[in-house]
Amino acid sequence: MSSRVLCVQSRSHSPQRFFSVQRPNYYQFHAGIYFDLSIGALTKWTSPSLRVMSITQDPQAQQMRTGFAQPLVFFNFQPFLDLSISRTACNITSLRLRVPGRDVTAFLAAAPNAFPSLARLGLSTGSVRGGQLNKVLSRFDRLEHLALDNCPFLSYRDPEDWVSLGRECALVGVQKAKAREKAIKAWWANNAPVITEGNVGQQAGAPRKAKSGRKGLAAATISIRGANAPSVPVAGPSVASSAEDSTAEEEALLEALQRNLSIRVAPRPTKLRTLTLSAPTPIEAEQDADDSDDNTNDSLEVYREKFTEGWNSGIATLGAIWARMKALNAGRSIVVRLTLGAGPEMPGPKGLRRIEEEYWAELEQGSYPAPSLCFAGLKAIGHAENCGHRATVHRWHDKDFLDM
């Protein structure tokens, strides 16, 4: 099936929309016509002037789904990874990427400092599954609004599952902090013998040199596995320009490691304010067709309450973790924080900063209300108060969420 593209560009807003045509054919597939190069062209822009980017593919029409697959607009999602750490992406605060039935999150959230300014993300209609939610929230520290309408990742009918979901969302920073602690411990075990007093500054974050000689299969530099898996560059423009670089901080942490102090990473609370998604049909609504609307509304309200219960439990756990870390013996450990955008993959002490009293006060006195959940989807009615649809629709300069 072929598609046509409408591309409009301005200084601060770049929408691209792919419309499904009404006459199905496989010309695009046989001719190898895809739009990967258009994303590559955006990556090469030298001016970080874009604030809003929208790339959407319309879902296949219902009457055409039998016998024809959803057309492939992009052959490979690697260009999205390259875009995420490019100079173009530095100031993008709103990103909408709809590719029906395909999962692009593994590429969007693969690299440290990917889309470092991102506050609004729309992945509706994609094949986003449960494990990817934590990955998205963990990677994009500034994310406030997340849209996952018509994504198949939720199958939670049991209200208690929504407690778990809320708790996981609140504690996403804990998993990231533990991964960073494990990474720096492993890095120090490999690099401690080669770091000396004379070259502390030069060795911070530098990997050990590979041994010379013939390499076996386990050390091969290329692989035929996972040809469509993300390939993360060693560094990108946004990684170098957006991280809170401080050689003095890195040297201080290296000296702490040399004194056998343990590095503990305080988890950062998520900034998520709204989450829009498609909830599964409640069992009660399927069993009683006469009162299906009432049952559905009641169940959705229960889902919200249970999600909030789990979220509040997670925030309470965060508070307990902060209290324990603040009380740690300074002679045996040093507590640090991750800078915004830094990930567990960053080498050595990069992306880590020592915590001052002001930061502890900010964490302890902060307010962390549960995100607003909206199950209305891409339609005009039934939206929750202060939902993510209403908070972001003006960013896209259209009314798609009202008429799809």
Side-chain angles (χ1 to χ4, degrees):
M1 184 182 299
S2 61
S3 299
R4 61 188 176 92
V5 60
L6 172 66
C7 181
V8 183
Q9 295 180 351
S10 67
R11 175 174 173 78
S12 61
H13 183 248
S14 176
Q16 293 184 344
R17 184 169 181 178
F18 300 88
F19 300 90
S20 295
V21 299
Q22 298 304 312
R23 179 182 297 176
N25 65 75
Y26 286 108
Y27 170 76
Q28 177 177 315
F29 171 77
H30 291 300
I33 300 175
Y34 303 100
F35 292 88
D36 301 40
L37 290 179
S38 65
I39 306 303
L42 289 172
T43 301
K44 296 176 182 178
W45 279 13
T46 58
S47 175
S49 59
L50 282 180
R51 300 294 186 273
V52 180
M53 180 175 289
S54 174
I55 301 173
T56 64
Q57 178 185 1
D58 284 1
Q60 191 175 358
Q62 183 67 39
Q63 64 271 22
M64 298 173 65
R65 290 180 183 174
T66 303
F68 290 93
Q70 178 77 37
L72 297 182
V73 173
F74 302 105
F75 180 75
N76 193 312
F77 289 138
Q78 180 67 31
F80 286 102
L81 192 158
D82 299 333
L83 174 66
S84 73
I85 57 173
S86 69
R87 186 170 174 79
T88 306
C90 285
N91 294 315
I92 292 178
T93 60
S94 302
L95 173 65
R96 179 172 65 175
L97 181 57
R98 294 183 188 167
V99 186
R102 300 185 71 188
D103 182 13
V104 70
T105 55
F107 293 82
L108 288 181
N113 271 300
F115 292 104
S117 302
L118 194 63
R120 305 164 192 85
L121 176 62
L123 298 172
S124 299
T125 74
S127 182
V128 182
R129 306 208 175 260
Q132 299 290 31
L133 177 59
N134 283 347
K135 188 170 187 177
V136 168
L137 295 179
S138 176
R139 178 63 74 197
F140 303 119
D141 293 321
R142 292 181 171 88
L143 191 63
E144 297 180 2
H145 306 284
L146 178 60
L148 297 173
D149 300 300
N150 295 347
C151 292
F153 89 100
L154 272 181
S155 59
Y156 305 142
R157 292 173 181 243
D158 187 339
E160 294 306 312
D161 289 335
W162 289 84
V163 176
S164 299
L165 179 63
R167 183 174 172 82
E168 289 172 8
C169 289
L171 292 176
V172 67
V174 175
Q175 182 178 355
K176 184 176 181 179
K178 288 181 177 179
R180 189 65 181 95
E181 289 178 356
K182 183 178 180 180
I184 194 169
K185 184 176 181 180
W187 176 86
W188 180 247
N190 290 329
N191 289 273
V194 299
I195 294 181
T196 63
E197 290 293 338
N199 62 0
V200 167
Q202 297 177 1
Q203 292 292 337
R208 299 180 69 177
K209 293 183 178 179
K211 295 180 180 180
S212 60
R214 183 178 180 273
K215 294 180 174 61
L217 291 177
T221 57
I222 62 173
S223 173
I224 60 174
R225 293 181 184 175
N228 209 25
S231 177
V232 182
V234 175
S238 65
V239 174
S241 61
S242 298
E244 300 171 32
D245 293 324
S246 173
T247 303
E249 284 280 349
E250 293 173 7
E251 291 183 355
L253 292 178
L254 284 175
E255 292 172 0
L257 288 169
Q258 289 178 324
R259 299 199 309 269
N260 293 323
L261 298 182
S262 63
I263 302 294
R264 300 298 307 277
V265 181
R268 181 189 296 275
T270 176
K271 294 186 176 182
L272 191 66
R273 292 170 49 197
T274 70
L275 178 61
T276 69
L277 40 80
S278 300
T281 303
I283 297 175
E284 296 83 356
E286 293 181 348
Q287 294 174 342
D288 191 350
D290 293 336
D291 298 324
S292 60
D293 289 342
D294 292 337
N295 287 335
T296 297
N297 292 334
D298 291 343
S299 295
L300 295 183
E301 190 57 39
V302 170
Y303 293 164
R304 289 191 183 94
E305 292 174 358
K306 290 297 183 179
F307 179 88
T308 300
E309 177 184 332
W311 174 275
N312 292 337
S313 172
I315 294 299
T317 299
L318 266 182
I321 293 174
W322 295 333
R324 287 198 301 270
M325 286 192 167
K326 189 176 179 181
L328 286 175
N329 189 329
R332 296 182 179 179
S333 59
I334 181 171
V335 183
V336 298
R337 62 180 175 87
L338 279 166
T339 59
L340 288 171
E345 315 91 334
M346 300 185 77
K350 290 187 178 296
L352 298 177
R353 298 293 176 267
R354 289 171 294 181
I355 294 182
E356 306 294 341
E357 283 298 324
E358 293 79 4
Y359 186 77
W360 283 125
E362 180 183 336
L363 290 179
E364 295 169 346
Q365 297 171 13
S367 176
Y368 310 106
S372 170
L373 292 188
C374 183
F375 302 107
L378 306 175
K379 59 185 180 181
I381 60 175
H383 290 267
E385 185 178 359
N386 301 320
C387 80
H389 298 112
R390 302 189 187 282
T392 60
V393 66
H394 66 285
R395 293 282 173 176
W396 313 125
H397 299 286
D398 63 21
K399 295 183 179 179
D400 272 9
F401 89 103
L402 297 176
D403 57 20
M404 281 190 63

